[in-house]
Amino acid sequence: MVLDSKTPQGPLAEKWNKYKFDLKLVNPSNKRKFTVIVVGTGLAGASAAASLAELGYNVKSFCYQDSPRRAHSIAAQGGINAAKNYQNDGDSVYRLFYDTIKGGDYRSRESNVHRLAEESVNIIDQCVAQGVPFAREYGGLLDNRSFGGAQVSRTFYARGQTGQQLLLGAYSALNRQINLGKVEMYNRHEMLDLVMVDGKAQGIVTRDLISGEIESFAGHAVLLCTGGYGNVFYLSTNAMGCNATAIWRAHKKGAFFANPCYTQIHPTCIPVTGDYQSKLTLMSESLRNDGRVWVPKTKELAEQVRKGQVKPGDLKEDDRDYFLERKYPSFGNLVPRDVASRNAKEVCDGGKGVGTTGKAVYLDFADAIHRLGKDAVQAKYGNLFDMYYQITDENPYEMPMRIYPAVHYTMGGLWVDYNLMTSVPGLYALGECNFSDHGANRLGASALMQGLADGYFVIPYTLGDYLAGIGPKPVDTSHPAFAQTKKDIMDQINKFLAMKGTKTLDEYHRDLGLIMWEYCGMARNEAGLLKAKGLIQALKVDFWKNAIVMGENEEMNMSLEKAGRVADFIELGELMVDDALNRKESCGGHFREESQTEEGEAKRDDENFAYVAAWEFKGENTPSELHKEELIFENVKLTQRSYK
Amino acid sequence: MSGNMNLTLKVWRQKNAADKGQFVTYKAADISPEMSFLEMLDVVNERLVKGTQDPIHFDHDCREGICGACSLYINGRPHGPKQAITTCQLHMRSFHDGEIITIEPWRATAFPVIKDLAVDRSAFDRIQQAGGFISVNTGGVPDANEIPISKVVSDEAFNSATCISCGACVAACKNASASLFVSAKISQLALLPQGQPERYRRAQAMVAQMDKEGFGNCTNTGACEIECPKEISLTNINRMRRDFYNAKFFKEEEIN
Ligand SMILES: Cc1cc2nc3c(=O)[nH]c(=O)nc-3n(C[C@H](O)[C@H](O)[C@H](O)COP(=O)(O)OP(=O)(O)OC[C@H]3O[C@@H](n4cnc5c(N)ncnc54)[C@H](O)[C@@H]3O)c2cc1C
Ligand code: SF4
Ligand code: FES
């Protein structure tokens, strides 16, 4: 199969406008004859569902939480980028496009990224019209701040809770359509499978998480907006319920999975304290604007600090290694996320880490407090300092913060073409669950932008083209494919419920996470990846033999929910390893130790790897097939990133 | 480990909405003070499952105090003994060795128990569906900076907008009133210029839905404000009342 990205011809800046004109339209009076299924109510899902309903389509919306407003977009802290150039500091659509392509280490599609930059400006207008309370200046206009990987101030923010405020905006638009009867909302419903009719996506099967009822729903198209799969690693900054089930099962029904190994590991998170740890908390990237990263200069000193014999504040300047400032004099503490994370790992692996576990580095505000005063630091970062204090019981105004990298975001996801359609006709993927736009590394404040661009401004156009093509013939669940898919799911559930082994689901999940973190985390090499593959395969066999699943289907059953998610994570974990093995170059968040420059930086291999790796599922325990979409760069010149 | 605690938990167990429910006592041995409260429950649950007992069900997701999913009534207080945080942000260092901890679900007619500690808060969604929005479609809106808003007003709207829809205010209230929540939602939009065209209709629709859902009346006790993890202030309730009565006494056309 040849992967057709449907990238429009013509000059970069004109592609999207011209394409929109060329797309087929659905006649206004016909729109109500179509039903669209939208799975997920985060920024991508809520904005898509509301916008499509406004156009007149009937929408059925699903989420696993008890309310659409709890989707994990809610947790985004830092902000959202847009090329408004309100600061008059030289920003433009082209600059945002360029920064994003470069930040992604030249592994994304030019056409998609340019469209994203174009739509970014409309997002801000839309959110303000909905009542989103972005930060403002005293003059009453919107405020901006700068964020990693950019030299202009283009990030719009809402205190430390941009995600919640944007989501509440999209949720309110969704609520309005629910009130008007155009969206039917199904909370606490988990999508467990995709229903295919005549080679097209035509519905889904869900489990009602309260009653256990297995239901099917039919629609003319299915939109997956189900977020990232970082929880493959068990510990991540994702919410506890974030899962890969919807996209993984769609993958098994034919949707290609692109670049699964591209994972973003965020440098500034609160370190692990013990085995019981259930998730990791992000400390916003903005802290690196004023915080200095360091470790004790020698292993001996580090050991004394770990044992509490020496306090960090008592270490002389000469006994400290500000390793980012030392290695990257021009970017210093503000190097991109992947570089900062790898360096933290390197010093800790070298025995210089701090904290009781030795898996932490300091993020120190003593200089900033000295230079700006405590009040100024508090005004800027007060809520983050409080959050840190809450979790660690240490006061960051007096002691440097301890931080360590953690899994944060997944750039990989379902392969989509320019229309956001997967390789399955009628099945779309929006937001973090698709692979588009961020290449091998995502810049800060760009995920919120992408989710909302996909939902508000891309899918309303591109979906119409597909629907106009298939026509408004009614669809319902009477086709035998629906009963069959329901039966397959029931069989799987019964299989889970019969599992009465000795090991808990969390234990399996933790084991998987450790394998992934060790061998498919911040640094990867062939031997380690091969080892990981064997370990995962063994874990999978053991899982189906020895896992314990409690309770019955016809009740709220967190054990059963977890079983399906862990089973899918294990399979996806193996594909991530396969992808990491295949990609012998280093790029962005994917660091292959075999491919580094003399100074130990990531080295791309454009000649052999300037492609999207899209994997096709070929059956249980059968190797997946790799399809390559060549990346063509007509506008930017590929260069090796340097932050020295 | 040294410093770890042995605790006794009295947990509300209820199989489903129809079940009567009862307290069940569990031992929580060897609990690290570094654990979060929910991690403590995870540990207890792992042990229950190993003994083939049904784990304790509770709602949670982000575990960082922003999604509003977690909702436990701990030793008689929503979100536990500390102020201005959610249950998921509570750590075991706030408890001491040998302590007996009572854990209940939110109790309110409008929040029926689903199982154990998980309750149905969909009433909150329905109140917002009734009018908690500004009626604009995607596209065709003015440039964001065409609507200047004073920083003072914008900050005040923001304070109301920080509500996470957790329902602690209802659980804290002896009347199980939802006034703090509803008023925060109404206030955010009522303070902003974008919210003016529908201001009174919104207040009326949301208050009407609140009453329909079976929440109690507000008698100004103020327990909600004390227990709210986001420190939403009672001023919001005054604003809601003002808008609601304005809407009642005058027709919308006459006001605008
Ligand atoms: C702590 C944190 C901070 C961040 N900060 C920023 C930031 O400052 N700026 C930025 O740009 N990005 C940030 N990001 C990234 C960004 O928040 C996410 O990438 C983005 O919000 C994802 O949105 P989404 O709509 O794709 O998915 P989500 O918001 O994750 O929504 C997923 C939806 O899918 C539903 N769902 C999932 N599986 C199923 C299923 N099987 N059945 C039914 N429903 C299902 C869920 O219920 C939910 O409604 C941050 C991420 C984290 C974790
Ligand atoms: S007002 Fe406070 S307590 Fe009530 S729902 Fe909102 S955040 Fe929770
Ligand atoms: S779990 Fe999200 S607020 Fe507690």
Side-chain angles (χ1 to χ4, degrees), chain A residues 40-41 43-44 64-65 72-73 78-79 191 226 243 409 432 445-448:
Chain A
T41 58
L43 289 184
Y64 71 75
Q65 292 94 346
H72 197 50
S73 292
M191 169 180 163
T226 54
N243 67 89
Y409 183 88
E432 189 173 341
S446 286
L448 302 179

Side-chain angles (χ1 to χ4, degrees), chain A residues 287-295 312-315 317 320 322 325 333 361-371 377 381 385 395-403:
Chain A
L287 289 171
R288 282 196 282 142
N289 279 311
D290 287 302
R292 298 180 69 194
V293 178
W294 65 275
V295 288
D314 296 339
L315 279 185
E317 279 300 299
R320 304 175 177 202
Y322 295 89
E325 297 172 22
N333 294 299
V361 302
Y362 289 127
L363 180 62
D364 198 336
F365 292 88
D367 281 356
I369 292 171
H370 186 70
R371 182 166 37 96
V377 171
Y381 308 114
F385 279 35
N395 184 347
Y397 293 102
E398 287 159 12
M399 291 251 279
M401 282 185 180
R402 285 173 297 110
I403 51 153

Side-chain angles (χ1 to χ4, degrees), chain A residues 547-560:
Chain A
I548 323 174
V549 182
M550 298 297 303
E552 300 153 24
N553 178 53
E554 287 73 27
E555 60 175 347
M556 182 182 245
N557 185 341
M558 59 196 232
S559 180
L560 180 60

Side-chain angles (χ1 to χ4, degrees), chain B residues 99-119:
Chain B
E99 193 167 342
I100 299 172
I101 306 175
T102 308
I103 312 172
E104 297 170 77
W106 285 171
R107 306 249 188 219
T109 323
F111 288 165
V113 171
I114 296 171
K115 182 170 177 174
D116 298 339
L117 305 168
V119 301

Side-chain angles (χ1 to χ4, degrees), chain A residues 613-625:
Chain A
W615 298 89
E616 180 181 4
F617 182 76
K618 291 300 223 182
E620 300 292 339
N621 303 317
T622 311
S624 303
E625 186 180 337

Side-chain angles (χ1 to χ4, degrees), chain A residues 54 86 128 171 279 391, chain B residues 46 64 93 125 138 143 194:
Chain A
E54 285 161 12
Y86 280 163
V128 168
Y171 165 74
K279 75 153 279 158
I391 293 176
Chain B
E46 285 278 288
E64 49 188 76
R93 64 179 86 90
D125 280 332
T138 302
D143 182 273
Q194 305 93 303

Side-chain angles (χ1 to χ4, degrees), chain B residues 124 163-169 180-181 228-230 232:
Chain B
F124 271 13
C163 162
I164 57 172
S165 304
C166 63
C169 45
L180 193 65
F181 161 76
C228 170
K230 298 296 154 184
I232 299 291

